[in-house]
């Protein structure tokens, strides 16, 4: 919370301007998705600097050149998405849990990115989101979804990866990009404003040919294993 307040305080003049711009751009289609993403990326870079957070990306060359892939990172906290917004050069959208659907700013960002909200306790709603993701990924949209379903609250340790989160990838037959997030929890989930460095490791993608025939639970276990290995090697 202290770091969020620091960001707002140091960007006191521009914060209301950017919030209004994000809100207004999300309500119409006057701007392309690329322009909307660049707006968020611009705001995110300034917010991270104001909050004394440095993002170190690795493996950007592993992101597929063609759109229509899904990134599956471990989930450490609210800051995670800001790391992706700063480092990814290709637009993407997100799946958020329904509990944050109406949280100010998160709501406006989700609408701007045309993201999805999922009720994890409602099987029918989860299926709706999975089907929508599958359709959009086939059409060339990139997605970010956290297969743990919630933040781990255990630092760089991971929770179980849920097989259901991989159904969209299987349905779309798209590349799966494992991503290892390191020390992101230190940004918003600790009561400190000391400088923080967050690592984001984009790992080599799994093509459909590699995971074809595997059960979603097996895919989840494989992706988790690769992320855990990357975290162990870089902490």
């Amino acid at each position: 919370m202290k770091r969020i307040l620091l960001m707002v305080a140091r960007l006191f003049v521009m914060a209301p301007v950017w919030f209004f711009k994000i809100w207004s751009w999300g309500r119409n289609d006057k701007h392309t998705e690329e322009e909307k993403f660049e707006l968020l990326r611009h705001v995110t870079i300034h917010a991270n600097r104001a909050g004394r957070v440095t993002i170190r990306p690795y493996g950007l060359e592993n992101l597929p050149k063609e759109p229509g892939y899904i990134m599956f990172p471990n989930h450490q906290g609210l800051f995670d998405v800001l790391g992706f917004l700063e480092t990814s050069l290709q637009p993407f959208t997100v799946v958020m849990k329904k509990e944050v659907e109406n949280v100010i700013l998160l709501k406006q960002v989700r609408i701007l990115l045309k993201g999805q909200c999922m009720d994890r306790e409602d099987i029918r709603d989860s299926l709706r989101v999975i089907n929508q993701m599958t359709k959009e990924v086939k059409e060339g949209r990139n997605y970010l979804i956290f297969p743990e379903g919630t933040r781990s609250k255990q630092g760089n340790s991971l929770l179980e990866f849920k097989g259901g989160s991989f159904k969209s990838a299987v349905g779309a037959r798209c590349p799966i990009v494992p991503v290892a997030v390191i020390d992101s929890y230190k940004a918003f989930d600790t009561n400190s404003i000391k400088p923080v460095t967050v690592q984001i490791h984009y790992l080599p993608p799994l093509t459909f040919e590699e995971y074809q025939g595997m059960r979603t639970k097996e895919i989840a276990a494989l992706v988790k294993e690769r992320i855990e290995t990357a975290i162990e090697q870089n902490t």
Side-chain angles (χ1 to χ4, degrees), residues 157-170:
S157 298
L158 278 60
L159 299 176
E160 177 186 358
F161 277 26
K162 303 181 185 302
S165 60
F166 291 86
K167 289 182 178 179
S168 292
V170 173

Side-chain angles (χ1 to χ4, degrees), residues 1 37 39-40 45 49 64 76 79 105 117 120-121 142 165 175 181 191 203:
M1 179 58 73
F37 184 79
L39 168 63
L40 276 182
I45 290 172
R49 299 295 179 274
Q76 295 193 348
F79 184 83
L105 188 56
C117 268
R120 297 167 296 175
E121 306 301 323
N142 304 320
S165 60
V181 177
N191 196 27
L203 307 180

Side-chain angles (χ1 to χ4, degrees), residues 16-134:
V17 176
W18 285 333
F19 178 83
F20 176 77
K21 202 169 185 179
I22 291 171
W23 173 79
S24 62
W25 281 30
R27 298 181 67 209
N28 61 68
D29 293 319
K30 294 180 180 179
H31 302 274
T32 66
E33 292 191 19
E34 289 74 17
E35 289 172 332
K36 292 177 179 180
F37 184 79
E38 280 305 311
L39 168 63
L40 276 182
R41 190 164 183 271
H42 173 78
V43 173
T44 298
I45 290 172
H46 282 79
N48 290 345
R49 299 295 179 274
R52 307 175 77 189
V53 182
T54 300
I55 312 294
R56 300 290 187 208
Y58 302 88
L60 284 169
E61 69 279 2
N62 288 322
L63 288 173
K65 299 298 185 290
E66 294 296 322
Y69 57 83
I70 304 178
M71 295 180 285
F72 290 89
N74 56 306
H75 193 14
Q76 295 193 348
L78 291 173
F79 184 83
D80 294 350
V81 175
L82 296 184
F84 286 92
L85 285 172
E86 176 170 335
T87 58
S88 176
L89 300 181
Q90 297 186 45
F92 65 85
T93 191
V94 297
V95 176
M96 297 181 178
K97 58 184 180 182
K98 196 170 183 65
E99 290 86 340
V100 300
E101 182 177 15
N102 293 308
V103 174
I104 191 168
L105 188 56
L106 291 182
K107 177 180 180 179
Q108 286 71 33
V109 168
R110 176 181 58 80
I111 292 173
L112 187 71
L113 292 177
K114 295 185 178 179
Q116 303 285 327
C117 268
M118 177 185 288
D119 185 346
R120 297 167 296 175
E121 306 301 323
D122 187 329
I123 296 177
R124 181 176 296 180
D125 186 66
S126 298
L127 183 60
R128 174 191 64 80
V129 173
I130 288 170
N131 290 337
Q132 184 63 27
M133 278 183 64
T134 302

Side-chain angles (χ1 to χ4, degrees), residues 112-231:
L112 187 71
L113 292 177
K114 295 185 178 179
Q116 303 285 327
C117 268
M118 177 185 288
D119 185 346
R120 297 167 296 175
E121 306 301 323
D122 187 329
I123 296 177
R124 181 176 296 180
D125 186 66
S126 298
L127 183 60
R128 174 191 64 80
V129 173
I130 288 170
N131 290 337
Q132 184 63 27
M133 278 183 64
T134 302
K135 176 178 178 292
E136 293 182 10
V137 172
K138 283 183 177 179
E139 294 171 349
R141 177 165 287 168
N142 304 320
Y143 259 90
L144 171 71
I145 184 171
F146 297 103
E148 289 164 292
T150 187
R151 57 185 176 177
S152 71
K153 297 183 180 180
Q154 298 175 18
N156 291 316
S157 298
L158 278 60
L159 299 176
E160 177 186 358
F161 277 26
K162 303 181 185 302
S165 60
F166 291 86
K167 289 182 178 179
S168 292
V170 173
R173 300 188 174 191
C174 72
I176 290 173
V177 183
V179 189
V181 177
I182 299 174
D183 291 342
S184 178
Y185 71 95
K186 294 180 180 179
F188 288 166
D189 292 76
T190 61
N191 196 27
S192 172
I193 58 172
K194 293 181 179 179
V196 172
T197 297
V198 175
Q199 300 179 48
I200 298 186
H201 295 260
Y202 295 91
L203 307 180
L206 281 73
T207 64
F208 178 68
E209 289 71 26
E210 291 179 82
Y211 66 80
Q212 184 179 13
M214 295 175 64
R215 294 184 301 169
T216 54
K217 286 186 177 180
E218 295 173 329
I219 300 172
L222 176 60
V223 171
K224 180 185 178 185
E225 180 184 3
R226 293 191 179 186
I227 291 174
E228 285 182 322
T229 297
I231 290 176

